[in-house]
Amino acid sequence: MGTIIIAGLGPGTSDDVTPAVQRALASADAVVGYKYYFQFVEPYLKAGCQCIDTGMKRERDRAEQAFRLAEEGQTVVVISSGDAGIYGMAPLIYEMQQQCRTADGDCVSTPHPTVDVQVLPGISAFQKAASLLGAPVGHDVCLISLSDLMTPWDVIERRIRAAATGDFVTAVYNPKSHGRYWQLYRLQELFLEERSAATPVGYVRQAGRPEQEVKLTTLGDFEPEDVDMFTVVLIGNSQSYVADGHFITPRGYYRRQADETQKVGQQIMTESFRTIASELKRQDYPLDHKWALLHAIHTTADFDMENILYADPQAVETIYNKVKSGELTTIVTDVTMVTSGIRKGALQRLGVEAVCYLSDPRVAGLAAREGITRTQAGIRLAVEEHPDALFVFGNAPTALMELCDLIRKGKARPAGIIAAPVGFVHVCESKHMVKPFRSIPKVIVEGRKGGSNLAATLCNAILTFDDAAELNPGRDL
């Protein structure tokens, strides 16, 4: 009885044919495959070796022909482009060998199941494409074929969603043909629901062949019309980036090195932030807004923050720059619980003072004389001494309303406002009142939610904004 060797030829040049495959071709009595690929194997064949073409899309006929020849005692090499086990001939030949067995192991149809079947791997198209783009598959990777000839589209779409949600680097095979023009558009739409529009995307046409084309773009700018059936598309994960024209997905060595220098508490906080970032509904938030959002969710474990955390454009970054430049040196809070939650290490590092006037001996008398709350009185005193401070509210809507009144009277000119009072009376109104001050950068927790811990963590997000790009919270713990 003969042998069937299923050999992957690589993407299409002799340079990418492995020595093991070359030796198998040299031993072959017959080669079975699609005629286009014979040009790549002819230099390795011995005299008299048959090259049998079964035509395009005739995979079953190809397998049956291979078994017939092997029955005659011949050594048959079945060739596939790329790797024969990845969308290639290997699964079909093994299936055909098994399908002709009965429960007792007897053969009920030809070819005989006793034919020896071997598989020799080849360089897959996605591997060749990846090498031309740089190092895009440095971490977990998923392969998806958009061909629905064998797989229903609803199954393919579920797999696309899973790959996008799971943050896999994703290689897309069979992305498009004359009859399948819309599937790649749908894949892009699904990925944009989970990934940033800035996610790197690379695609290679005719990888390794003279017609080779290599292109690099982003998920948002990717144009499916540029792709055809000879193209492999690679979509990065949330950590992928482009540097010097190379598409890179880091394995994590440098992050691990950084992690080893962190304290245990900081490591836990860092891992929590990474988890939150991976579960956000949107991945394209501006960095400063995302930094504040990660702090808010980390403190509350409430992903509704994604819906209710409002920030003026560049508000966090603008206030941080005022701190960094020395323009902002004082933070005023409405209650002492907020002051307590602001990181002392960050305050010291940046030369900033956090104060609360609620315990000031002047407050009680002022509140009694004016018929106002103690927090209102505290804000009045604070504005007299620090009119250009960052004002942070985590408890008292009346204090926030007092500040709004003083701004309108020209007595206060805050460097910024964090508005996160909590409760049921005047809370929403106080937050609406602060929004019209467009020249003042603001971060607001909309609706009834808020609290001292939330106000403090938003303040901490501002003070640690220089750590945002590295997603490295907790330095001042």
Side-chain angles (χ1 to χ4, degrees):
M1 197 62 67
T3 300
I4 295 176
I5 302 172
I6 314 163
L9 300 179
T13 65
S14 58
D15 291 341
D16 293 324
V17 180
T18 68
V21 171
Q22 293 177 20
R23 290 192 295 270
L25 291 167
S27 70
D29 300 309
V31 174
V32 178
Y34 177 47
K35 63 181 179 181
Y36 176 81
Y37 298 110
F38 291 159
Q39 60 184 305
F40 304 122
V41 303
E42 286 174 352
Y44 309 110
L45 303 181
K46 65 186 181 184
C49 178
Q50 300 181 73
C51 290
I52 301 171
D53 168 35
T54 57
M56 193 173 183
K57 297 183 180 180
R58 301 287 296 277
E59 290 84 359
R60 288 180 64 92
D61 292 344
R62 202 172 302 160
E64 289 169 355
Q65 179 69 29
F67 274 110
R68 283 194 291 271
L69 294 170
E71 283 182 64
E72 299 169 2
Q74 297 191 45
T75 297
V76 183
V77 176
V78 178
I79 55 175
S80 279
S81 64
D83 183 282
I86 301 177
Y87 306 122
M89 288 294 296
L92 172 58
I93 287 178
Y94 274 117
E95 282 185 286
M96 187 171 287
Q97 186 180 43
Q98 294 301 313
Q99 286 298 319
C100 66
R101 295 179 186 270
T102 65
D104 298 326
D106 297 327
C107 181
V108 295
S109 64
T110 57
H112 292 294
T114 54
V115 169
D116 182 35
V117 176
Q118 304 172 20
V119 177
L120 295 178
I123 296 173
S124 177
F126 90 89
Q127 293 173 298
K128 182 67 174 182
S131 69
L132 295 167
L133 290 163
V137 293
H139 216 300
D140 298 334
V141 62
C142 176
L143 311 182
I144 293 178
S145 170
L146 296 192
S147 173
D148 54 3
L149 294 176
M150 302 291 181
T151 307
W153 175 255
D154 63 326
V155 175
I156 295 172
E157 182 159 320
R158 287 203 304 273
R159 292 172 180 172
I160 293 170
R161 288 184 183 276
T165 302
D167 200 31
F168 285 93
V169 176
T170 304
V172 184
Y173 279 72
N174 303 310
K176 196 176 178 186
S177 69
H178 293 300
R180 291 183 294 101
Y181 66 91
W182 57 268
Q183 286 87 341
L184 189 56
Y185 285 95
R186 178 59 175 158
L187 178 141
Q188 181 184 27
E189 181 182 8
L190 293 171
F191 264 79
L192 281 169
E193 292 178 4
E194 301 292 341
R195 307 271 176 96
S196 166
T199 301
V201 171
Y203 52 106
V204 180
R205 184 179 183 276
Q206 296 280 24
R209 298 172 186 167
E211 310 92 330
Q212 173 181 292
E213 298 176 23
V214 181
K215 295 186 179 181
L216 191 58
T217 183
T218 64
L219 186 59
D221 292 336
F222 174 57
E223 178 48 71
E225 289 301 320
D226 290 343
V227 170
D228 63 15
M229 64 185 296
F230 298 105
T231 306
V232 174
V233 181
L234 285 162
I235 304 170
N237 69 13
S238 61
Q239 305 302 308
S240 301
Y241 62 94
V242 174
D244 299 323
H246 297 127
F247 180 171
I248 302 166
T249 299
R251 181 71 177 89
Y253 293 106
Y254 283 96
R255 187 180 76 183
R256 179 179 178 184
Q257 184 179 33
D259 286 350
E260 288 171 351
T261 68
Q262 294 180 333
K263 299 177 182 178
V264 174
Q266 187 180 357
Q267 290 176 0
I268 294 171
M269 191 172 182
T270 298
E271 190 60 33
S272 296
F273 269 50
R274 290 174 182 159
T275 300
I276 296 165
S278 70
E279 295 182 17
L280 293 175
K281 290 185 295 185
R282 283 180 52 191
Q283 295 293 324
D284 59 346
Y285 290 108
L287 180 61
D288 71 328
H289 184 96
K290 181 179 181 180
W291 190 237
L293 182 59
L294 293 176
H295 277 78
I297 296 173
H298 179 258
T299 296
T300 63
D302 184 359
F303 276 84
D304 189 41
M305 290 296 153
E306 200 167 359
N307 302 316
I308 64 175
L309 183 67
Y310 167 87
D312 289 331
Q314 288 82 51
V316 170
E317 184 174 6
T318 299
I319 301 172
Y320 170 75
N321 287 335
K322 291 180 180 181
V323 173
K324 188 176 180 182
S325 68
E327 178 184 350
L328 171 56
T329 59
T330 304
I331 298 171
V332 173
T333 69
D334 62 338
V335 292
T336 55
M337 283 291 291
V338 177
T339 313
S340 299
I342 299 174
R343 292 184 195 162
K344 304 305 181 286
L347 293 171
Q348 184 176 9
R349 174 169 56 87
L350 295 168
V352 177
E353 179 187 21
V355 297
C356 176
Y357 280 74
L358 197 58
S359 58
D360 188 293
R362 297 171 291 173
V363 164
L366 178 59
R369 289 194 306 272
E370 299 294 329
I372 58 177
T373 66
R374 292 175 64 242
T375 53
Q376 281 180 279
I379 292 300
R380 284 193 189 180
L381 292 174
V383 165
E384 290 177 8
E385 298 179 6
H386 303 289
D388 55 356
L390 167 62
F391 285 82
V392 183
F393 301 86
N395 181 271
T398 55
L400 179 56
M401 295 166 75
E402 182 70 23
L403 178 66
C404 292
D405 185 55
L406 294 171
I407 293 171
R408 287 175 57 81
K409 291 176 178 177
K411 295 181 179 182
R413 46 184 186 279
I417 300 172
I418 295 176
V422 62
F424 300 93
V425 180
H426 303 311
V427 172
C428 297
E429 295 92 329
S430 70
K431 296 171 182 179
H432 295 319
M433 288 173 67
V434 78
K435 273 193 175 180
F437 302 119
R438 296 182 179 177
S439 63
I440 302 172
K442 301 172 292 296
V443 180
I444 303 171
V445 179
E446 297 187 304
R448 294 171 169 177
K449 291 183 180 180
S452 298
N453 59 341
L454 188 51
T457 200
L458 293 172
C459 189
N460 290 333
I462 292 170
L463 297 177
T464 62
F465 180 63
D466 52 340
D467 293 327
E470 298 297 327
L471 201 66
N472 186 30
R475 173 158 50 123
D476 299 301
L477 289 177

